[in-house]
Amino acid sequence: MQESRLFKILYRLLDKGEATACELAKDFEVSVRTIYRDIDALSAAGIPIYTAAGRNGGIRLLEGFVLNKAVLSEKEKQEILAALQSINAAKNVDGSETLQKLSALFHTHSENWLEVEFSRWGNQESDNRKFERLKDAVLHCKRVKIRYAGSDENETERIIEPLQLAYKAKAWYLKAFCMLKQDYRLFKLNRILGLEVLEEHFVPHEFQGQADTHESDYNLVTLRFPKEMAYRVYDEFDETQIERQENDGFIVSAKMPEDAWLTGFLLSFGTQVEILSPDSLKAILAEQAKNIYEKYKS
């Protein structure tokens, strides 16, 4: 308890510059005598702390003192504060107190330059609530019953052991062990249509699924886009995958999984995409386009 109070006194002085023994005693709910004992303990530990008598007196640190003792560079301090700022901006984690403490300790202040939202547009409350419930289930090792919309167009009810939340390719995923499949699975949070955190606990273990499938396992897909699709091309693909053409169009070459997701993704471009290769993908998309035409031609 004393060690915690000593640290709080220290960062209070670093942040505010000075304080009286009475103010510190009131803040930490101890006697003035205890505060003076704490000051002696800090001084004995090598902290340049002193008391000044008189009307404008109080407890101060030697001017210019910073607790880092050159352990961290200015860049490292800024990186730590920026990381905490990003956590605090996420609104799901309150890191403001920690940010304030470290800012005082470093004599450095981090600007509010970043805002992070876990939710989709227009769905903030629902998405954040889902994220928080799954986060608690991961931290407390509780099984979860979910209703999940799979890529095979079927909804299934499963009991899973949630292991880790992961953000990849513009979406949140849940790494988990699926009791139904008796295997590790990766669940997209947007497709979890309902969930119930159970009181059943499990022993945490390392995820051993295919969440980190390498691009080398995918086929190379080559696409052509007109110049009007520049905004979508740069939204969806890395610059190294894009080749600008003389007519201001684009050729994109990227390794992607040939599955239902890819078909839907390409259809979202309508007539503004041309598949150059592979031929198998051309046939799949042509069949899908034909089915859409047959559905709406009347």
Side-chain angles (χ1 to χ4, degrees), residues 216-230:
S216 58
D217 298 330
Y218 299 151
N219 293 325
L220 183 66
V221 177
T222 305
L223 310 168
R224 178 186 287 125
F225 297 93
K227 62 181 180 180
E228 292 79 11
M229 284 288 103

Side-chain angles (χ1 to χ4, degrees), residues 10 17 21 28 36-37 45 51 64 95 101 114 121 139 141 179 190 192 196 204 207 240 242 244 248 256 258 262 278:
L10 186 54
F28 299 118
Y36 279 119
R37 283 201 295 264
T51 59
K101 291 177 182 178
L114 178 66
W121 289 103
L139 293 176
C141 301
M179 307 296 288
N190 290 346
I192 297 178
E196 177 187 356
F207 183 81
T240 59
I242 303 169
R244 182 181 286 274
D248 290 333
M256 293 184 284
E258 292 186 43
L262 180 58

Side-chain angles (χ1 to χ4, degrees), residues 119-138:
S119 57
R120 293 165 287 180
W121 289 103
N123 205 32
Q124 179 175 347
E125 184 177 351
S126 174
D127 283 351
N128 284 348
R129 186 167 58 248
K130 182 191 300 182
F131 185 93
E132 282 296 301
R133 294 178 68 191
L134 290 172
K135 182 189 73 175
D136 289 342
V138 171

Side-chain angles (χ1 to χ4, degrees), residues 82-102:
L84 284 172
Q85 181 69 57
S86 67
I87 293 172
N88 190 40
K91 299 181 181 178
N92 288 42
V93 181
D94 186 8
S96 56
E97 184 177 353
T98 306
L99 183 64
Q100 180 184 5
K101 291 177 182 178
L102 286 181

